[in-house]
Amino acid sequence: MEFTNSLLLWYLENQRELPWRQTRDPYCIWLSEIMLQQTRVAQATPYYLRFLEAFPTVVDLAEASEEQVLKLWQGLGYYSRARNLHHTAKQVAFDYQGQFPTTYHELLKLKGVGAYTAAAIASIAFDEAVAVVDGNVYRVLARFFGVETDIASSAAQKEFSALANTLLDPKRPAQFNQALMEFGAMQCTPKNPQCHQCPLQWSCVAYRDKKVAELPVKTKKTKITDRYFHYLIVEDPQRKILLEKRTEKGIWHNLYQFPLIETPTPITWADLQQKIASIWPLETINSMVEMNKTTILHKLSHQNLYIRFYKISLNKDMAAGVPRESLEDYPFPIVIYNFIKTY
C-alpha cells in the first residue's frame, strides 16, 4: 500500500539513532518501552542507559531490591512503572528462566505489559506481524484516514488496532511499527505538525478537510485535584532526620518522604504550628522555621501539589532517624530530592 511504502521510505531517511534501536534483545526493548510510556525520549534515554549499566540482564534487575530500582528511577515519574518493571523482571527471571516469551499473546501474561508493549516486543525482537497502537499511532491514523472515533472510548483500541494491522508490512513489522511511532513523534506532532513537508499529505483527510487541529478526537478530561502538602524536616541534636515511607496506595507508593501534614486547603503558619505542637510537645522543640517562603507547585497528571517545607529542631535525641549525610541513599519523589539538593 502506498501509505506503508511512503512511511517506510520516510523512516529510512529520518529515523533517530536511539540506543534501543541497536539491539533486538527483548529485555532492552521492553525496558525502553516501559520508560517511554508518558515520557519524552530525551528524558528517558539517560535512565535507560543507567539501568542497563546497573542491571545488564533481566536477572540482575530481578535480584535487585525495590529500593534500588526506585532510587535509579527517581525523577522519571509514574513510579508504578518501576514497581511493575521490577515485578515483571522477577516473573521473567524465575517463571520463564530468564527468557522473555516470544509471542504477543504470551507477552500479555506479564505484569505491566499491555497490548502496546507486547506488540512492540513481539514485532521488534521476534518479527511477529502485530501492529502497535500508542498515542502517536492514534494521531497519525486519525488524521490520515479522518477517523473521528473518540480515542478515549472503549471502542478505539480495537478499531485503530484493526486499521494498523491492515497497513502493517508482514515482512517488516519491526520497521513499520517504529516508523509509524517515529512519524507521530517527529512529523505528525500534536501541535504544529509539519504538514507542508509531509510525505503523506497527498491523501491526508485531516489536511484536505482542514481538521488537523481537531483530530484525533479525545473528549475525556481528567479532573485535576488540588492538594496541600506540608513537609516537616524534623532534626535532633545528633543531626538525625526523621523519614517515613509512603506505604498507602496512590502517588509515590513505597518512596520516602519527610513527615507530612496534608490539608484540604491552604492554612496559615500559625495554624500549622498548632498542628505540629499536637504531634511534638512544644517543650521538645527548639525552633520551627519555614524553609521555603514561596509555595512549590508540583504538577502531576491529575493532581496539583502545593508544597511547603518546615524545619523542626528538637532538643532531645530521637530513637529513629537517618543521618543527614545518608539522605541521598533513599528513593524520594523528585520534588523532595530537589529540595534536599538545594537546601
Side-chain angles (χ1 to χ4, degrees), residues 65-123:
S65 69
E66 184 178 90
E67 283 196 9
Q68 285 177 290
V69 175
L70 289 172
K71 181 62 181 176
L72 209 54
W73 193 274
Q74 183 176 269
L76 201 54
Y78 299 97
Y79 289 89
S80 61
R81 292 181 298 171
R83 294 190 297 272
N84 286 340
L85 188 85
H86 195 216
H87 185 284
T88 305
K90 292 179 179 179
Q91 197 177 352
V92 173
F94 306 130
D95 296 347
Y96 292 84
Q97 291 72 52
Q99 302 297 314
F100 272 80
T102 59
T103 67
Y104 171 76
H105 289 292
E106 283 296 314
L107 286 161
L108 284 173
K109 296 177 182 179
L110 300 177
K111 183 178 177 65
V113 174
Y116 161 74
T117 306
I121 300 170
S123 62

Side-chain angles (χ1 to χ4, degrees), residues 16 18-20 31-32 34-51 72-79 81 298-300 333-335 338:
R16 291 170 290 182
L18 302 174
W20 45 87
L31 184 62
S32 69
I34 299 299
M35 288 185 169
L36 288 167
Q37 292 170 10
Q38 299 171 298
T39 302
R40 293 175 293 105
V41 165
Q43 184 185 10
T45 299
Y47 283 88
Y48 170 82
L49 296 173
R50 285 197 293 268
F51 257 77
L72 209 54
W73 193 274
Q74 183 176 269
L76 201 54
Y78 299 97
Y79 289 89
R81 292 181 298 171
H298 187 67
K299 292 187 175 184
L300 302 176
I334 193 62
V335 65
N338 287 341

Side-chain angles (χ1 to χ4, degrees), residues 8-26:
L8 289 171
L9 181 60
W10 175 90
Y11 181 64
L12 288 173
E13 296 175 349
N14 295 278
Q15 63 178 297
R16 291 170 290 182
E17 290 187 12
L18 302 174
W20 45 87
R21 288 188 178 150
Q22 314 306 316
T23 178
R24 290 169 65 88
D25 183 343

Side-chain angles (χ1 to χ4, degrees), residues 31 109 130 173 184 199 225 278 322 336-337:
L31 184 62
K109 296 177 182 179
V130 55
T225 303
S278 70
V322 172
I336 298 180
Y337 179 76

